[in-house]
Amino acid sequence: AIGLLVGVVPVALGLLWLPSLRRVGAHWLAAFMALTAGLLTFLGVEALAEALELQAAVPAALGGPGLVLLGLAASALGMTFLASRLSRGRVGGSGLALAALVAVGIGVHNLGEGLAIGTSFATGELQLGAFLVIGFMVHNVTEGLGIAAPATRARVTLWQLAALALVAGAPAAHPRETAMNA
């Protein structure tokens, strides 16, 4: 239940920006897209820097920086493959395809958030766990905006929005349960 409250509900709340985004001018929509791209770029660079910092604790036999770069390459190739499948050969794809790509990227990101919450509760760090739950809930509302922005010019059904919220938010739910049962 905590994972759904941390992942799915805030992303769905962020998707409520969609009607407002449809009414704004093109320059404001471009500003929201730039903000979203900047946030995602910041998160990516920060995650890579953190991974390279933490790899020092990994035994040398596992490869250290090579393992981090392999993960980076696999992520980039996976998203590129998914982008080509969703766009079906069209240059740029549709707004819904871009929204789906953003949702998948956010879902992978939320997987780590779920692991952090689950680990903190499993190790008895209840205050840290509560802090992470509140912080990630607030943070995940902005992720809904990042999904909604590319979908403003597309015809999107309520079921598609629900699916996007699940893709982006559900990965925060499962790892927490796994870590708590460990």
Side-chain angles (χ1 to χ4, degrees), residues 31-179:
F32 284 128
M33 291 291 285
L35 176 68
T36 300
L39 271 169
L40 292 174
T41 302
F42 169 75
L43 288 173
V45 169
E46 182 186 2
L48 180 60
E50 184 76 20
L52 288 171
E53 190 176 302
L54 291 174
Q55 63 81 29
V58 174
L62 295 178
L67 187 61
V68 171
L69 295 177
L70 181 64
L72 178 67
S75 298
L77 289 173
M79 290 300 281
T80 301
F81 173 75
L82 186 58
S84 70
R85 299 292 284 172
L86 288 174
S87 67
R88 293 185 179 93
R90 291 174 293 180
V91 177
S94 71
L96 185 58
L98 183 55
L101 279 174
V102 172
V104 168
I106 288 171
V108 172
H109 161 78
N110 282 343
L111 180 70
E113 290 178 0
L115 287 170
I117 291 169
T119 301
S120 65
F121 284 136
T123 59
E125 297 288 336
L126 301 180
Q127 288 178 332
L128 175 61
F131 177 76
L132 290 175
V133 165
I134 293 167
F136 289 149
M137 285 178 75
V138 171
H139 160 72
N140 285 345
V141 172
T142 64
E143 293 174 349
L145 174 63
I147 297 168
T152 55
R153 304 293 183 238
R155 174 166 272 179
V156 184
T157 67
L158 186 58
W159 293 109
Q160 289 169 322
L161 290 175
L164 290 171
L166 279 173
V167 166
H174 180 68
R176 189 193 68 76
E177 302 298 329
T178 303

